[in-house]
Amino acid sequence: MICDAILATSFVADAPDQNSLFPSAGGGSADPRVQAVYWRCIAVFFTSARINNPSLELAFFSNVEPPTIDGVDLAALMDRLEVTRSILPLTRRLPAGKAMSWGNVFYFMDIFAHVALYRAHGRLILTDSDMVIAAPLDAMLDELDRADFGAYRLDTPDDADINGMSRSMMATTIC
């Protein structure tokens, strides 16, 4: 495995009292049917990543152990694909009533803190799970070697409404 690079994704299982809208999945974050959509995505994400990047370190972060979905034991699948699993609590959540959608969006901050604590160096590609890794990631990793951080640019004003909150509101209301 490439020791200095990790491809990772995550999943947060929200409880009913933490439910927020996931528009792309057509329901709430606490709905088991919506959660199953993302668990299926995670299976495809890691399977496609392993096929196209056989030596890349893969990591999964969640606040729960992977379940069995559609008869597939996702923990066993991740073991076969050599995915490192970490159970991390969600410590930063959008306050209730502040935004209707994506209430657990700040889980990436918990992951970054965890990786920074336990990994002194290396490259981390942390992405959403609803994607297929259709090719080797060597070019992306080479780009990361030339930069401190990579992200996509969101060309909206700091006070623009994004799913019920602006970026400036998010910066002041993380709890």
PDB file of all heavy atoms in Angstrom, residues 102-134:
ATOM      1  N   TRP A 102     -28.564  18.853   5.526  1.00  0.00           N
ATOM      2  CA  TRP A 102     -27.162  18.506   5.750  1.00  0.00           C
ATOM      3  C   TRP A 102     -26.668  18.914   7.134  1.00  0.00           C
ATOM      4  O   TRP A 102     -25.589  19.477   7.287  1.00  0.00           O
ATOM      5  CB  TRP A 102     -26.262  19.127   4.666  1.00  0.00           C
ATOM      6  CG  TRP A 102     -26.759  18.892   3.275  1.00  0.00           C
ATOM      7  CD1 TRP A 102     -27.258  19.830   2.428  1.00  0.00           C
ATOM      8  CD2 TRP A 102     -26.821  17.656   2.564  1.00  0.00           C
ATOM      9  NE1 TRP A 102     -27.629  19.255   1.241  1.00  0.00           N
ATOM     10  CE2 TRP A 102     -27.379  17.911   1.300  1.00  0.00           C
ATOM     11  CE3 TRP A 102     -26.482  16.345   2.884  1.00  0.00           C
ATOM     12  CZ2 TRP A 102     -27.589  16.916   0.361  1.00  0.00           C
ATOM     13  CZ3 TRP A 102     -26.693  15.362   1.937  1.00  0.00           C
ATOM     14  CH2 TRP A 102     -27.230  15.656   0.698  1.00  0.00           C
ATOM     15  N   GLY A 103     -27.414  18.595   8.164  1.00  0.00           N
ATOM     16  CA  GLY A 103     -27.061  18.980   9.531  1.00  0.00           C
ATOM     17  C   GLY A 103     -25.778  18.380  10.044  1.00  0.00           C
ATOM     18  O   GLY A 103     -25.189  18.880  11.002  1.00  0.00           O
ATOM     19  N   ASN A 104     -25.300  17.307   9.417  1.00  0.00           N
ATOM     20  CA  ASN A 104     -24.063  16.671   9.892  1.00  0.00           C
ATOM     21  C   ASN A 104     -22.874  16.969   8.980  1.00  0.00           C
ATOM     22  O   ASN A 104     -21.874  16.269   9.023  1.00  0.00           O
ATOM     23  CB  ASN A 104     -24.271  15.163  10.046  1.00  0.00           C
ATOM     24  CG  ASN A 104     -24.701  14.489   8.755  1.00  0.00           C
ATOM     25  OD1 ASN A 104     -24.420  14.958   7.664  1.00  0.00           O
ATOM     26  ND2 ASN A 104     -25.394  13.367   8.878  1.00  0.00           N
ATOM     27  N   VAL A 105     -22.964  18.041   8.213  1.00  0.00           N
ATOM     28  CA  VAL A 105     -21.961  18.370   7.202  1.00  0.00           C
ATOM     29  C   VAL A 105     -20.558  18.616   7.788  1.00  0.00           C
ATOM     30  O   VAL A 105     -19.559  18.427   7.106  1.00  0.00           O
ATOM     31  CB  VAL A 105     -22.427  19.582   6.355  1.00  0.00           C
ATOM     32  CG1 VAL A 105     -22.423  20.856   7.183  1.00  0.00           C
ATOM     33  CG2 VAL A 105     -21.591  19.737   5.105  1.00  0.00           C
ATOM     34  N   PHE A 106     -20.455  18.974   9.041  1.00  0.00           N
ATOM     35  CA  PHE A 106     -19.159  19.292   9.623  1.00  0.00           C
ATOM     36  C   PHE A 106     -18.393  18.068  10.138  1.00  0.00           C
ATOM     37  O   PHE A 106     -17.360  18.219  10.780  1.00  0.00           O
ATOM     38  CB  PHE A 106     -19.301  20.332  10.734  1.00  0.00           C
ATOM     39  CG  PHE A 106     -19.646  21.692  10.199  1.00  0.00           C
ATOM     40  CD1 PHE A 106     -20.847  22.296  10.532  1.00  0.00           C
ATOM     41  CD2 PHE A 106     -18.783  22.358   9.354  1.00  0.00           C
ATOM     42  CE1 PHE A 106     -21.173  23.537  10.031  1.00  0.00           C
ATOM     43  CE2 PHE A 106     -19.098  23.601   8.842  1.00  0.00           C
ATOM     44  CZ  PHE A 106     -20.299  24.194   9.177  1.00  0.00           C
ATOM     45  N   TYR A 107     -18.880  16.872   9.833  1.00  0.00           N
ATOM     46  CA  TYR A 107     -18.158  15.662  10.248  1.00  0.00           C
ATOM     47  C   TYR A 107     -16.747  15.639   9.658  1.00  0.00           C
ATOM     48  O   TYR A 107     -15.825  15.115  10.276  1.00  0.00           O
ATOM     49  CB  TYR A 107     -18.944  14.424   9.828  1.00  0.00           C
ATOM     50  CG  TYR A 107     -18.438  13.129  10.432  1.00  0.00           C
ATOM     51  CD1 TYR A 107     -18.263  12.993  11.807  1.00  0.00           C
ATOM     52  CD2 TYR A 107     -18.153  12.036   9.638  1.00  0.00           C
ATOM     53  CE1 TYR A 107     -17.814  11.812  12.369  1.00  0.00           C
ATOM     54  CE2 TYR A 107     -17.709  10.836  10.190  1.00  0.00           C
ATOM     55  CZ  TYR A 107     -17.543  10.731  11.546  1.00  0.00           C
ATOM     56  OH  TYR A 107     -17.101   9.554  12.104  1.00  0.00           O
ATOM     57  N   PHE A 108     -16.572  16.225   8.486  1.00  0.00           N
ATOM     58  CA  PHE A 108     -15.232  16.288   7.894  1.00  0.00           C
ATOM     59  C   PHE A 108     -14.244  16.960   8.851  1.00  0.00           C
ATOM     60  O   PHE A 108     -13.066  16.601   8.888  1.00  0.00           O
ATOM     61  CB  PHE A 108     -15.249  17.031   6.561  1.00  0.00           C
ATOM     62  CG  PHE A 108     -15.625  16.184   5.371  1.00  0.00           C
ATOM     63  CD1 PHE A 108     -16.289  14.973   5.503  1.00  0.00           C
ATOM     64  CD2 PHE A 108     -15.310  16.605   4.098  1.00  0.00           C
ATOM     65  CE1 PHE A 108     -16.628  14.206   4.405  1.00  0.00           C
ATOM     66  CE2 PHE A 108     -15.640  15.845   2.981  1.00  0.00           C
ATOM     67  CZ  PHE A 108     -16.302  14.643   3.141  1.00  0.00           C
ATOM     68  N   MET A 109     -14.694  17.919   9.631  1.00  0.00           N
ATOM     69  CA  MET A 109     -13.796  18.590  10.575  1.00  0.00           C
ATOM     70  C   MET A 109     -13.317  17.616  11.646  1.00  0.00           C
ATOM     71  O   MET A 109     -12.147  17.666  12.059  1.00  0.00           O
ATOM     72  CB  MET A 109     -14.497  19.806  11.187  1.00  0.00           C
ATOM     73  CG  MET A 109     -14.795  20.880  10.151  1.00  0.00           C
ATOM     74  SD  MET A 109     -15.807  22.224  10.790  1.00  0.00           S
ATOM     75  CE  MET A 109     -14.633  23.049  11.831  1.00  0.00           C
ATOM     76  N   ASP A 110     -14.189  16.728  12.109  1.00  0.00           N
ATOM     77  CA  ASP A 110     -13.780  15.702  13.075  1.00  0.00           C
ATOM     78  C   ASP A 110     -12.756  14.760  12.444  1.00  0.00           C
ATOM     79  O   ASP A 110     -11.799  14.354  13.092  1.00  0.00           O
ATOM     80  CB  ASP A 110     -14.992  14.906  13.560  1.00  0.00           C
ATOM     81  CG  ASP A 110     -15.926  15.742  14.422  1.00  0.00           C
ATOM     82  OD1 ASP A 110     -15.431  16.453  15.323  1.00  0.00           O
ATOM     83  OD2 ASP A 110     -17.146  15.681  14.194  1.00  0.00           O
ATOM     84  N   ILE A 111     -12.983  14.419  11.184  1.00  0.00           N
ATOM     85  CA  ILE A 111     -12.053  13.527  10.483  1.00  0.00           C
ATOM     86  C   ILE A 111     -10.695  14.196  10.316  1.00  0.00           C
ATOM     87  O   ILE A 111      -9.657  13.582  10.583  1.00  0.00           O
ATOM     88  CB  ILE A 111     -12.642  13.092   9.132  1.00  0.00           C
ATOM     89  CG1 ILE A 111     -13.904  12.254   9.361  1.00  0.00           C
ATOM     90  CG2 ILE A 111     -11.607  12.328   8.308  1.00  0.00           C
ATOM     91  CD1 ILE A 111     -14.730  12.030   8.111  1.00  0.00           C
ATOM     92  N   PHE A 112     -10.681  15.446   9.877  1.00  0.00           N
ATOM     93  CA  PHE A 112      -9.402  16.157   9.724  1.00  0.00           C
ATOM     94  C   PHE A 112      -8.649  16.207  11.053  1.00  0.00           C
ATOM     95  O   PHE A 112      -7.436  15.996  11.102  1.00  0.00           O
ATOM     96  CB  PHE A 112      -9.621  17.587   9.208  1.00  0.00           C
ATOM     97  CG  PHE A 112     -10.036  17.682   7.777  1.00  0.00           C
ATOM     98  CD1 PHE A 112     -10.973  18.613   7.380  1.00  0.00           C
ATOM     99  CD2 PHE A 112      -9.490  16.852   6.801  1.00  0.00           C
ATOM    100  CE1 PHE A 112     -11.362  18.723   6.051  1.00  0.00           C
ATOM    101  CE2 PHE A 112      -9.873  16.942   5.474  1.00  0.00           C
ATOM    102  CZ  PHE A 112     -10.813  17.890   5.097  1.00  0.00           C
ATOM    103  N   ALA A 113      -9.355  16.485  12.140  1.00  0.00           N
ATOM    104  CA  ALA A 113      -8.707  16.538  13.456  1.00  0.00           C
ATOM    105  C   ALA A 113      -8.134  15.177  13.826  1.00  0.00           C
ATOM    106  O   ALA A 113      -7.017  15.085  14.343  1.00  0.00           O
ATOM    107  CB  ALA A 113      -9.700  17.018  14.512  1.00  0.00           C
ATOM    108  N   HIS A 114      -8.869  14.111  13.566  1.00  0.00           N
ATOM    109  CA  HIS A 114      -8.410  12.758  13.873  1.00  0.00           C
ATOM    110  C   HIS A 114      -7.170  12.405  13.056  1.00  0.00           C
ATOM    111  O   HIS A 114      -6.183  11.903  13.599  1.00  0.00           O
ATOM    112  CB  HIS A 114      -9.536  11.758  13.601  1.00  0.00           C
ATOM    113  CG  HIS A 114      -9.138  10.336  13.797  1.00  0.00           C
ATOM    114  ND1 HIS A 114      -9.100   9.743  15.049  1.00  0.00           N
ATOM    115  CD2 HIS A 114      -8.750   9.381  12.921  1.00  0.00           C
ATOM    116  CE1 HIS A 114      -8.701   8.490  14.922  1.00  0.00           C
ATOM    117  NE2 HIS A 114      -8.490   8.243  13.645  1.00  0.00           N
ATOM    118  N   VAL A 115      -7.228  12.666  11.761  1.00  0.00           N
ATOM    119  CA  VAL A 115      -6.092  12.340  10.892  1.00  0.00           C
ATOM    120  C   VAL A 115      -4.872  13.160  11.293  1.00  0.00           C
ATOM    121  O   VAL A 115      -3.756  12.639  11.357  1.00  0.00           O
ATOM    122  CB  VAL A 115      -6.455  12.543   9.406  1.00  0.00           C
ATOM    123  CG1 VAL A 115      -5.222  12.434   8.518  1.00  0.00           C
ATOM    124  CG2 VAL A 115      -7.511  11.526   8.980  1.00  0.00           C
ATOM    125  N   ALA A 116      -5.058  14.438  11.601  1.00  0.00           N
ATOM    126  CA  ALA A 116      -3.928  15.282  12.007  1.00  0.00           C
ATOM    127  C   ALA A 116      -3.297  14.780  13.298  1.00  0.00           C
ATOM    128  O   ALA A 116      -2.082  14.862  13.480  1.00  0.00           O
ATOM    129  CB  ALA A 116      -4.392  16.727  12.171  1.00  0.00           C
ATOM    130  N   LEU A 117      -4.111  14.247  14.198  1.00  0.00           N
ATOM    131  CA  LEU A 117      -3.615  13.752  15.477  1.00  0.00           C
ATOM    132  C   LEU A 117      -2.801  12.466  15.315  1.00  0.00           C
ATOM    133  O   LEU A 117      -1.796  12.282  15.982  1.00  0.00           O
ATOM    134  CB  LEU A 117      -4.793  13.516  16.424  1.00  0.00           C
ATOM    135  CG  LEU A 117      -4.476  13.077  17.837  1.00  0.00           C
ATOM    136  CD1 LEU A 117      -3.672  14.146  18.572  1.00  0.00           C
ATOM    137  CD2 LEU A 117      -5.769  12.795  18.588  1.00  0.00           C
ATOM    138  N   TYR A 118      -3.244  11.588  14.426  1.00  0.00           N
ATOM    139  CA  TYR A 118      -2.631  10.267  14.328  1.00  0.00           C
ATOM    140  C   TYR A 118      -1.725  10.068  13.120  1.00  0.00           C
ATOM    141  O   TYR A 118      -1.129   9.013  12.971  1.00  0.00           O
ATOM    142  CB  TYR A 118      -3.719   9.184  14.319  1.00  0.00           C
ATOM    143  CG  TYR A 118      -4.411   9.112  15.649  1.00  0.00           C
ATOM    144  CD1 TYR A 118      -5.658   9.679  15.841  1.00  0.00           C
ATOM    145  CD2 TYR A 118      -3.790   8.507  16.740  1.00  0.00           C
ATOM    146  CE1 TYR A 118      -6.277   9.635  17.070  1.00  0.00           C
ATOM    147  CE2 TYR A 118      -4.406   8.460  17.973  1.00  0.00           C
ATOM    148  CZ  TYR A 118      -5.652   9.024  18.129  1.00  0.00           C
ATOM    149  OH  TYR A 118      -6.256   8.984  19.361  1.00  0.00           O
ATOM    150  N   ARG A 119      -1.592  11.065  12.280  1.00  0.00           N
ATOM    151  CA  ARG A 119      -0.781  10.931  11.076  1.00  0.00           C
ATOM    152  C   ARG A 119       0.044  12.185  10.904  1.00  0.00           C
ATOM    153  O   ARG A 119      -0.503  13.253  10.625  1.00  0.00           O
ATOM    154  CB  ARG A 119      -1.702  10.751   9.884  1.00  0.00           C
ATOM    155  CG  ARG A 119      -1.306   9.616   9.035  1.00  0.00           C
ATOM    156  CD  ARG A 119      -2.309   9.459   7.926  1.00  0.00           C
ATOM    157  NE  ARG A 119      -1.639   9.080   6.744  1.00  0.00           N
ATOM    158  CZ  ARG A 119      -1.386   7.823   6.428  1.00  0.00           C
ATOM    159  NH1 ARG A 119      -1.776   6.867   7.216  1.00  0.00           N
ATOM    160  NH2 ARG A 119      -0.751   7.541   5.335  1.00  0.00           N
ATOM    161  N   ALA A 120       1.334  12.094  11.021  1.00  0.00           N
ATOM    162  CA  ALA A 120       2.203  13.263  10.989  1.00  0.00           C
ATOM    163  C   ALA A 120       2.360  13.845   9.588  1.00  0.00           C
ATOM    164  O   ALA A 120       2.640  15.025   9.441  1.00  0.00           O
ATOM    165  CB  ALA A 120       3.574  12.910  11.555  1.00  0.00           C
ATOM    166  N   HIS A 121       2.215  13.041   8.557  1.00  0.00           N
ATOM    167  CA  HIS A 121       2.421  13.530   7.189  1.00  0.00           C
ATOM    168  C   HIS A 121       1.588  12.689   6.226  1.00  0.00           C
ATOM    169  O   HIS A 121       0.949  11.724   6.624  1.00  0.00           O
ATOM    170  CB  HIS A 121       3.893  13.447   6.817  1.00  0.00           C
ATOM    171  CG  HIS A 121       4.398  12.036   6.779  1.00  0.00           C
ATOM    172  ND1 HIS A 121       4.487  11.245   7.905  1.00  0.00           N
ATOM    173  CD2 HIS A 121       4.787  11.254   5.745  1.00  0.00           C
ATOM    174  CE1 HIS A 121       4.935  10.043   7.561  1.00  0.00           C
ATOM    175  NE2 HIS A 121       5.117  10.018   6.267  1.00  0.00           N
ATOM    176  N   GLY A 122       1.627  13.057   4.993  1.00  0.00           N
ATOM    177  CA  GLY A 122       0.925  12.293   3.975  1.00  0.00           C
ATOM    178  C   GLY A 122      -0.182  13.085   3.320  1.00  0.00           C
ATOM    179  O   GLY A 122      -0.456  14.226   3.673  1.00  0.00           O
ATOM    180  N   ARG A 123      -0.804  12.445   2.364  1.00  0.00           N
ATOM    181  CA  ARG A 123      -1.859  13.080   1.583  1.00  0.00           C
ATOM    182  C   ARG A 123      -3.181  12.398   1.893  1.00  0.00           C
ATOM    183  O   ARG A 123      -3.261  11.177   1.950  1.00  0.00           O
ATOM    184  CB  ARG A 123      -1.546  12.962   0.092  1.00  0.00           C
ATOM    185  CG  ARG A 123      -0.231  13.665  -0.255  1.00  0.00           C
ATOM    186  CD  ARG A 123       0.264  13.264  -1.601  1.00  0.00           C
ATOM    187  NE  ARG A 123       0.687  11.855  -1.546  1.00  0.00           N
ATOM    188  CZ  ARG A 123       1.136  11.175  -2.594  1.00  0.00           C
ATOM    189  NH1 ARG A 123       1.219  11.748  -3.765  1.00  0.00           N
ATOM    190  NH2 ARG A 123       1.502   9.918  -2.477  1.00  0.00           N
ATOM    191  N   LEU A 124      -4.202  13.200   2.070  1.00  0.00           N
ATOM    192  CA  LEU A 124      -5.539  12.697   2.352  1.00  0.00           C
ATOM    193  C   LEU A 124      -6.490  13.240   1.295  1.00  0.00           C
ATOM    194  O   LEU A 124      -6.579  14.453   1.102  1.00  0.00           O
ATOM    195  CB  LEU A 124      -6.014  13.152   3.736  1.00  0.00           C
ATOM    196  CG  LEU A 124      -7.471  12.859   4.084  1.00  0.00           C
ATOM    197  CD1 LEU A 124      -7.716  11.354   4.208  1.00  0.00           C
ATOM    198  CD2 LEU A 124      -7.866  13.579   5.363  1.00  0.00           C
ATOM    199  N   ILE A 125      -7.169  12.336   0.611  1.00  0.00           N
ATOM    200  CA  ILE A 125      -8.274  12.725  -0.257  1.00  0.00           C
ATOM    201  C   ILE A 125      -9.531  12.285   0.481  1.00  0.00           C
ATOM    202  O   ILE A 125      -9.810  11.097   0.599  1.00  0.00           O
ATOM    203  CB  ILE A 125      -8.190  12.047  -1.633  1.00  0.00           C
ATOM    204  CG1 ILE A 125      -6.896  12.418  -2.351  1.00  0.00           C
ATOM    205  CG2 ILE A 125      -9.406  12.425  -2.479  1.00  0.00           C
ATOM    206  CD1 ILE A 125      -6.653  11.627  -3.633  1.00  0.00           C
ATOM    207  N   LEU A 126     -10.268  13.245   1.004  1.00  0.00           N
ATOM    208  CA  LEU A 126     -11.499  12.985   1.747  1.00  0.00           C
ATOM    209  C   LEU A 126     -12.643  13.506   0.900  1.00  0.00           C
ATOM    210  O   LEU A 126     -12.694  14.698   0.585  1.00  0.00           O
ATOM    211  CB  LEU A 126     -11.468  13.676   3.110  1.00  0.00           C
ATOM    212  CG  LEU A 126     -12.704  13.535   3.978  1.00  0.00           C
ATOM    213  CD1 LEU A 126     -13.007  12.071   4.294  1.00  0.00           C
ATOM    214  CD2 LEU A 126     -12.523  14.336   5.263  1.00  0.00           C
ATOM    215  N   THR A 127     -13.533  12.620   0.518  1.00  0.00           N
ATOM    216  CA  THR A 127     -14.592  12.996  -0.410  1.00  0.00           C
ATOM    217  C   THR A 127     -15.923  12.378  -0.014  1.00  0.00           C
ATOM    218  O   THR A 127     -15.977  11.472   0.817  1.00  0.00           O
ATOM    219  CB  THR A 127     -14.194  12.565  -1.843  1.00  0.00           C
ATOM    220  OG1 THR A 127     -15.171  13.029  -2.763  1.00  0.00           O
ATOM    221  CG2 THR A 127     -14.053  11.075  -1.958  1.00  0.00           C
ATOM    222  N   ASP A 128     -16.969  12.880  -0.614  1.00  0.00           N
ATOM    223  CA  ASP A 128     -18.278  12.274  -0.427  1.00  0.00           C
ATOM    224  C   ASP A 128     -18.251  10.850  -0.958  1.00  0.00           C
ATOM    225  O   ASP A 128     -17.433  10.506  -1.822  1.00  0.00           O
ATOM    226  CB  ASP A 128     -19.353  13.076  -1.157  1.00  0.00           C
ATOM    227  CG  ASP A 128     -19.678  14.397  -0.475  1.00  0.00           C
ATOM    228  OD1 ASP A 128     -19.348  14.549   0.715  1.00  0.00           O
ATOM    229  OD2 ASP A 128     -20.246  15.270  -1.136  1.00  0.00           O
ATOM    230  N   SER A 129     -19.171  10.040  -0.496  1.00  0.00           N
ATOM    231  CA  SER A 129     -19.189   8.626  -0.871  1.00  0.00           C
ATOM    232  C   SER A 129     -19.982   8.336  -2.134  1.00  0.00           C
ATOM    233  O   SER A 129     -19.867   7.248  -2.691  1.00  0.00           O
ATOM    234  CB  SER A 129     -19.782   7.796   0.268  1.00  0.00           C
ATOM    235  OG  SER A 129     -21.126   8.191   0.492  1.00  0.00           O
ATOM    236  N   ASP A 130     -20.759   9.272  -2.597  1.00  0.00           N
ATOM    237  CA  ASP A 130     -21.632   8.998  -3.736  1.00  0.00           C
ATOM    238  C   ASP A 130     -20.930   9.279  -5.066  1.00  0.00           C
ATOM    239  O   ASP A 130     -21.364  10.079  -5.877  1.00  0.00           O
ATOM    240  CB  ASP A 130     -22.951   9.755  -3.619  1.00  0.00           C
ATOM    241  CG  ASP A 130     -22.788  11.241  -3.401  1.00  0.00           C
ATOM    242  OD1 ASP A 130     -21.660  11.711  -3.174  1.00  0.00           O
ATOM    243  OD2 ASP A 130     -23.807  11.948  -3.456  1.00  0.00           O
ATOM    244  N   MET A 131     -19.821   8.574  -5.247  1.00  0.00           N
ATOM    245  CA  MET A 131     -19.063   8.676  -6.481  1.00  0.00           C
ATOM    246  C   MET A 131     -18.393   7.349  -6.817  1.00  0.00           C
ATOM    247  O   MET A 131     -18.188   6.513  -5.947  1.00  0.00           O
ATOM    248  CB  MET A 131     -18.028   9.795  -6.426  1.00  0.00           C
ATOM    249  CG  MET A 131     -17.311   9.944  -5.135  1.00  0.00           C
ATOM    250  SD  MET A 131     -16.348  11.451  -4.941  1.00  0.00           S
ATOM    251  CE  MET A 131     -15.376  11.540  -6.378  1.00  0.00           C
ATOM    252  N   VAL A 132     -18.080   7.197  -8.090  1.00  0.00           N
ATOM    253  CA  VAL A 132     -17.355   6.030  -8.575  1.00  0.00           C
ATOM    254  C   VAL A 132     -15.942   6.489  -8.884  1.00  0.00           C
ATOM    255  O   VAL A 132     -15.742   7.518  -9.542  1.00  0.00           O
ATOM    256  CB  VAL A 132     -18.024   5.458  -9.849  1.00  0.00           C
ATOM    257  CG1 VAL A 132     -17.196   4.342 -10.449  1.00  0.00           C
ATOM    258  CG2 VAL A 132     -19.431   4.980  -9.535  1.00  0.00           C
ATOM    259  N   ILE A 133     -14.954   5.749  -8.413  1.00  0.00           N
ATOM    260  CA  ILE A 133     -13.558   6.057  -8.721  1.00  0.00           C
ATOM    261  C   ILE A 133     -13.238   5.284  -9.997  1.00  0.00           C
ATOM    262  O   ILE A 133     -12.983   4.088  -9.968  1.00  0.00           O
ATOM    263  CB  ILE A 133     -12.626   5.653  -7.557  1.00  0.00           C
ATOM    264  CG1 ILE A 133     -13.115   6.240  -6.230  1.00  0.00           C
ATOM    265  CG2 ILE A 133     -11.189   6.043  -7.873  1.00  0.00           C
ATOM    266  CD1 ILE A 133     -13.212   7.744  -6.199  1.00  0.00           C
ATOM    267  N   ALA A 134     -13.268   5.987 -11.129  1.00  0.00           N
ATOM    268  CA  ALA A 134     -13.226   5.340 -12.441  1.00  0.00           C
ATOM    269  C   ALA A 134     -11.831   5.217 -13.039  1.00  0.00           C
ATOM    270  O   ALA A 134     -11.696   4.678 -14.133  1.00  0.00           O
ATOM    271  CB  ALA A 134     -14.135   6.100 -13.410  1.00  0.00           C
TER     272      ALA A 134
END
